[in-house]
Amino acid sequence: MARPLDPLGFEDEMCPVCKSRKYLNPDIVFVFNPECYHSMCLNCANRLFNDGPNQCPHAGCNKTLRRKGFRSAFFGDLAVEREVDIRRRVAAVFNQVEDDFETLQDYNNYLQMVEDLTFELVNGTDERRRQAEAQLQAWEAEHRADIERNKKAGREADEISRVRLAAERDAVRQRRIEAIKEAEAEKRERVRSREMELDNLAKGTTAMTAEPATKVQLKRRGQVNRVAETASNPAIATTGMGTGASEVERLSIRGLKEKPKAPAPQGPYDPFGGMDFAPSRYKLHGGLSHPLMEKYRLDRQHVAGGYSFDDFAARALYEAFAGLGVFVEDEKEVGSGIGLSQETSMAAGIAAVVDADKMDLD
Amino acid sequence: MEFNIDDLPVLFPYPRIYPEQYAYMVDLKKTLDAGGNCVLEMPSGTGKTVTLLSLIVAYQQYYPEHRKLIYCSRTMSEIEKALVELRALMKFRAERLGHEEEFRGLGLTSRKNLCLHPSVKREKSGAIVDARCRSLTAGFVKEKREKGENVETCVYHDNLDLLEPHNLIPNGIWTLDGLMRYGEEKKQCPYFTARRMMQHCNVIIYSYHYLLDPKIAERVSKDLSKDCIVVFDEAHNIDNVCIESLSTDITQDSLMRATRGAQNLEAKISEMKDSDQEKLQSEYEKLVEGLKGLDEGRQEDAFMANPTLPDDLLKEAVPGNIRRAEHFVAFLRRFIEYLKTRMKVRQVISETPPSFLAHLKEYTFIEKKPLRFCAERLTSLVRTLELTNIEDYRPLQEVATFATLVATYEKGFLLILEPYESDTAKTPNPVLHFTCLDAAIAIKPVFDRFSSVIITSGTISPLEMYPKMLNFETVVQESYAMTLARRSFLPMIVTRGSDQASISTSFQVRNEPSVVRNYGNLLTEFARITPDGMVVFFPSYLYMESIISMWQGMGILDEVWKHKLILVETPDAQETSLALETYRTACCNGRGAILLCVARGKVSEGIDFDHQYGRTVLCIGVPFQYTESRILKARLEFLRETYRIRENDFLSFDAMRHAAQCLGRVLRGKDDYGVMVLADRRFMKKRAQLPKWINQAFLEANTNLSTDMAVGNARAFLKQMAQPFSAKDQEGVSIWGMEDLKRHQEKMAEDMIVELKTAREEEERERKRREEEERRRFEEERDRVSDYEMDEDDEAEMMALDARIG
């Protein structure tokens, strides 16, 4: 048989130590040590490092390796493997999430800071790598409490999502099984009714009986459908409840953190609480005159006490308009709680004012 | 012909009209007035396109809104046909109205079909044409040229800039051919002329993809206004188009090339860092501010657009960890490596996007959010780097598209990894299918954005399936029967062979010699009696091949050969077109021929076998889909879970729509005639799922036949069809002149009046009843109220008393 084509080439790796290939030895397993990320086959690793620590066999690499550190790679590209290992370390320290930031900009800047640091750790020169390492450690020391808290929160979130996924999968499986069952039941039903029909024919019963039979069948099918629907709906409902309950318990709304709001600037103190005393239904013009009032204007008895005719006009108008905004019908409905006596006294009051008006104007 | 529908004057470019055309127009107008969606099924070959166009153009011109028409069709030839119809219509209108209307209609197709550039147009593949065109017309190329650098540009494109931007082409209807000729004459690029003039057109005719595929729709159809009238013609396959537009497949090969693309990007970035640091910096700053360069994003020559739908597009700044170019490339490489590792698995895996993301995060620390921005970030980067050989980055783009999609949609998608091509294959050839299961996702923005969407086809039964699958509401849902003066087609269901054994292509029996022989007999018999052309459809290529070889062994093909030439469709498009040409020649010169083809192949969709090209269509077996496909299984499950469409219902619906398409191939007009044979036992139960116009022609006597009976019926039918038949016989029945139409309209009006009258009487009765009731209630109320009033009087009295005392 022809060899499989392998466009990515990772199956034709060669062990740099013993020079054996996957082609010759299909069972070959490659391992590497995260000390230096040089790969070799499992046999070589066993052979070289079983007797304790030894130097990496790669030319120019003088790292001392132990058998225990060897593992097989997840990625085909060992550079990526290394990067991911570094990222794992970085992610354990820089584990803040969007909720911890007030603005998106802050969050993005944080992300970039982390990425810069990771990039230095992965690709930087020795000097910069050391710097980055130091920065990492400093951050860890500084934010120890936050890191712990986020780690815990992250674990919880993972757990929730895992549970939810599992529940969803279960529900889907349940529904699938139900659908299959339903289909089977229908099939059985069909076969049965067909047999019944044949039996009827064999017994010689005429179309009279055959017709009700089909009717019965139709009815039954409808019933089956209905039953199935109600059966599957609770399935949805219960699964929804199941996940819903766990979510309600630990409901978390993801997103940016709430900003603490600065108190609004306060104006000068207003004893009336912003109440407006300017009349809304009419406008006062100064110098209001009335033929009846003219004589009093000249009358010393009236003027001597400092009596202001404008004040008089303002008061008169105020009283004239005072009841206009009030509709008795509305008041009755709204103010049904007001007692009868209060109402009557109010009416009397109003009447008195009206009388007073008349008197003043005279 | 000129008539009114309600208040709308319609100009119809033919002297006569079919009754179903009139009914179609009435329903169409109803839909447009109500501003909703509709699904309409009109028999093939009854002038659907011209009916649609004449009504909508009349509507556009009569009402002051001048709503734009977007007409989507499937293939280029259909687009061209529609444009020709439109031109004829406008010519007729101009003659009738006595003046040319201000009207512009354009068709749009790919660059490959519209390119005039002397070297680019010679490229074979559409993707390469696109890429080369972009490298000559991109914005930065022009900038460079203005700076005085020596870069190649396309003179046809550059000439466009010299014209007025809203008047690149005079009014009128431009067919694709006409557009090309105009472009050649004026030395301007037809493709960009059409693209830029779309804003200023009354009618646009283009392919589905320009509206449904989010990658293209974002760029091409973004600025169309909300009140456009959208028509999807030949829309029986629209759900599949929707699904395909959001699905991607990733292979090992594409991953390898994506890796190479990422490496190239890296090299380019470091190159640019040395030479033009500024540009990278400015891009970076833009990303920090979250501007995204709105104007740039809209450029028509953008490398690629975001594959997600406008609703789901994030309007945020790009996340901080992929803001820097080198960070982003490292990010991409990590993602690609991860996919490569996943590909190494040797068992079938199907998982949902959330579980994929969870696994991805665990192993590569790639979060969902930056993944969502992948496609957009790549576009920005490519623009900044001013890459011209975009073709090389296509695999990378595919990966980025996949990344964005997988991070955007949780529901309605599934990842399926198939390590082997088939169950028996030993060599692994892994493919990662990212498949969309929900057709409603892709089409949702269309329904959201446009108030009137019209979905129409010759075979779109059962009508209620489409609103269900695509998740929309309709105003009108109608299937029209075909009015015929004589029975011009003969549908039959053959369930038994000449030996009375039942025939079927179900898996258990399809390769039994008796079934194969019976199908062979059916073929020979019909080959004997059919004049000229005959078309045979099989459910799959695989089955066709096996049955042909068995027929060869049984000597059946030799028998058929005596009567007709035998031609076979193959998956290769060029071979097929050659076969078709030979077939047509053979039909024309009287030799007659049989075309063996596949119900889901190229021939079954879009190729017409009118008149002598097809007198019999033989559908061997129910054209079910290959049900073992994992993608199909996933979709079936999804449909059941979400829309409560059962597996079997969907499969049989899908099979029957393809069967109906096949049958519809032979009947392309009212003077055409043909025999339609459905040869499978299972068709008996599925008859009701055929379109109304086929179903109504079914006689009970023509179902459940054996081969010899079917042949006898067909012979009688063909004899009858051979009798002289003058066009006059059709008048008044299947073709209406002006008087017939008037009579019909009057009758409709009368019916309406009667209906209204009865409705009014009903209403009157109802009203009286209600009034009566009301009065009774009122009286009761009043009794109560008057009690209350008395109370009030008492109160007033008491008040007065109090006041006096006070």
Side-chain angles (χ1 to χ4, degrees), chain A residues 7 74 112 175 332 344, chain B residues 256 284 323 341 641 792 799:
Chain A
F74 179 80
Q112 190 183 345
R175 273 183 302 222
K332 261 186 195 153
T344 47
Chain B
M256 193 170 67
Y284 168 76
R323 274 200 304 224
T341 307
E641 290 269 305
E792 213 168 42
M799 254 191 326

Side-chain angles (χ1 to χ4, degrees), chain A residues 37-68:
Chain A
Y37 292 92
H38 287 139
S39 83
M40 62 193 79
C41 73
L42 186 62
N43 283 341
C44 291
N46 284 336
R47 184 168 47 77
L48 290 172
F49 299 101
N50 258 358
D51 308 331
N54 204 343
Q55 212 184 26
C56 176
H58 277 258
C61 177
N62 47 16
K63 286 257 164 59
T64 310
L65 308 176
R66 290 163 194 280
R67 174 68 196 89
K68 222 174 84 190

Side-chain angles (χ1 to χ4, degrees), chain B residues 23-24 26-32 34 36-42 447 453-457 460-481 653 692:
Chain B
Y24 190 85
V26 171
D27 281 336
L28 210 54
K29 177 160 185 305
K30 218 188 286 169
T31 313
L32 293 182
N37 312 318
C38 68
V39 182
L40 300 174
E41 179 182 65
M42 171 124 136
F447 284 119
V453 180
I454 291 147
I455 290 180
T456 182
S457 171
I460 192 161
S461 284
L463 294 174
E464 64 277 4
M465 198 72 165
Y466 288 85
K468 219 166 163 186
M469 272 195 311
L470 303 178
N471 206 3
F472 68 100
E473 307 260 315
T474 55
V475 178
V476 179
Q477 233 183 77
E478 194 60 66
S479 175
Y480 305 95
F653 149 75
K692 191 176 167 193

Side-chain angles (χ1 to χ4, degrees), chain B residues 282-293:
Chain B
S282 85
E283 184 207 20
Y284 168 76
E285 266 148 26
K286 230 180 252 164
L287 292 175
V288 170
E289 285 163 33
L291 285 176
K292 286 196 292 187

Side-chain angles (χ1 to χ4, degrees), chain B residues 680-694:
Chain B
D680 193 311
R681 179 174 53 78
R682 294 171 293 177
F683 275 120
M684 275 308 283
K685 277 189 199 140
K686 302 194 190 310
R687 213 183 92 187
Q689 286 167 324
L690 284 171
K692 191 176 167 193
W693 60 277
I694 297 182

Side-chain angles (χ1 to χ4, degrees), chain A residues 54-311:
Chain A
N54 204 343
Q55 212 184 26
C56 176
H58 277 258
C61 177
N62 47 16
K63 286 257 164 59
T64 310
L65 308 176
R66 290 163 194 280
R67 174 68 196 89
K68 222 174 84 190
F70 279 92
R71 60 185 169 98
S72 58
F74 179 80
F75 294 99
D77 188 347
L78 284 180
V80 174
E81 184 82 32
R82 173 167 167 269
E83 186 184 337
V84 168
D85 283 346
I86 292 171
R87 269 175 200 283
R88 184 167 296 126
R89 216 151 53 83
V90 174
V93 174
F94 290 92
N95 59 1
Q96 298 203 356
V97 283
E98 203 172 332
D99 308 19
D100 299 335
F101 295 88
E102 280 168 17
T103 65
L104 195 63
Q105 181 113 24
D106 288 348
Y107 179 53
N108 281 335
N109 289 341
Y110 165 78
L111 282 180
Q112 190 183 345
M113 188 264 286
V114 176
E115 193 66 30
D116 276 333
L117 188 124
T118 316
F119 208 73
E120 291 299 336
L121 283 176
V122 176
N123 300 329
T125 55
D126 279 351
E127 170 66 19
R128 310 188 80 168
R129 206 181 300 165
R130 256 197 301 282
Q131 272 177 17
E133 194 72 45
Q135 199 187 338
L136 182 71
Q137 262 147 24
W139 182 279
E140 188 171 9
E142 201 177 320
H143 295 86
R144 197 172 295 274
D146 286 349
I147 291 168
E148 263 322 300
R149 200 194 57 228
N150 278 331
K151 205 195 252 171
K152 206 165 143 240
R155 266 205 302 270
E156 266 171 24
D158 283 352
E159 182 65 16
I160 288 173
S161 71
R162 206 181 51 78
V163 167
R164 208 188 56 214
L165 280 179
E168 262 169 33
R169 249 198 318 272
D170 275 356
V172 167
R173 210 185 45 225
Q174 194 62 35
R175 273 183 302 222
R176 191 186 306 144
I177 290 169
E178 261 164 32
I180 290 169
K181 262 189 203 155
E182 189 187 317
E184 271 174 5
E186 197 174 307
K187 210 172 181 179
R188 261 202 312 279
E189 190 60 31
R190 219 172 28 232
V191 170
R192 218 174 61 83
S193 67
R194 203 182 141 80
E195 270 170 11
M196 212 159 72
E197 217 170 284
L198 282 178
D199 282 350
N200 279 348
L201 282 176
K203 278 184 207 139
T205 35
T206 48
M208 283 287 281
T209 53
E211 204 177 355
T214 55
K215 238 181 222 165
V216 165
Q217 187 193 333
L218 279 177
K219 210 191 257 170
R220 197 171 288 145
R221 191 179 294 161
Q223 212 167 26
V224 166
N225 281 349
R226 234 170 298 134
V227 166
E229 235 157 69
T230 48
S232 56
N233 278 342
I236 300 169
T238 49
T239 51
M241 290 281 276
T243 53
S246 67
E247 263 169 349
V248 167
E249 271 171 17
R250 284 169 284 185
L251 184 72
S252 72
I253 296 162
R254 313 264 303 170
L256 292 170
K257 194 157 80 177
E258 193 85 9
K259 267 175 258 184
K261 277 191 196 113
Q266 287 174 334
Y269 177 68
D270 178 11
F272 297 110
M275 201 140 117
D276 188 14
F277 288 101
S280 62
R281 288 175 193 279
Y282 57 94
K283 213 164 151 193
L284 273 174
H285 296 286
L288 196 74
S289 79
H290 192 272
L292 283 176
M293 268 158 51
E294 283 310 300
K295 58 177 180 188
Y296 294 110
R297 231 184 253 281
L298 302 174
D299 187 352
R300 201 163 296 165
Q301 275 183 335
H302 275 89
V303 186
Y307 194 87
S308 157
F309 283 87
D310 283 345
D311 274 353

Side-chain angles (χ1 to χ4, degrees), chain B residues 139-151 279 385-386 388:
Chain B
F140 61 83
V141 176
K142 210 175 118 200
E143 271 169 37
K144 268 190 188 167
R145 192 171 174 94
E146 273 161 12
K147 268 188 255 165
E149 282 179 56
N150 186 21
V151 281
K279 215 163 225 164
L385 293 177
E386 300 184 346
T388 46

Side-chain angles (χ1 to χ4, degrees), chain B residues 602-651:
Chain B
K602 264 234 154 11
V603 175
S604 72
E605 300 249 342
I607 290 173
D608 294 350
F609 295 98
D610 47 344
H611 297 101
Q612 78 272 26
Y613 295 126
R615 288 302 183 200
T616 296
V617 59
L618 184 58
C619 198
I620 290 185
V622 186
F624 280 118
Q625 280 189 64
Y626 174 61
T627 48
E628 292 304 297
S629 145
R630 292 200 176 78
I631 297 175
L632 178 64
K633 275 185 180 161
R635 181 158 181 227
L636 288 176
E637 182 148 347
F638 177 82
L639 284 174
R640 197 193 63 227
E641 290 269 305
T642 323
Y643 297 122
R644 303 213 135 259
I645 299 172
R646 287 195 299 181
E647 275 100 336
N648 284 335
D649 289 354
F650 179 78
L651 283 176

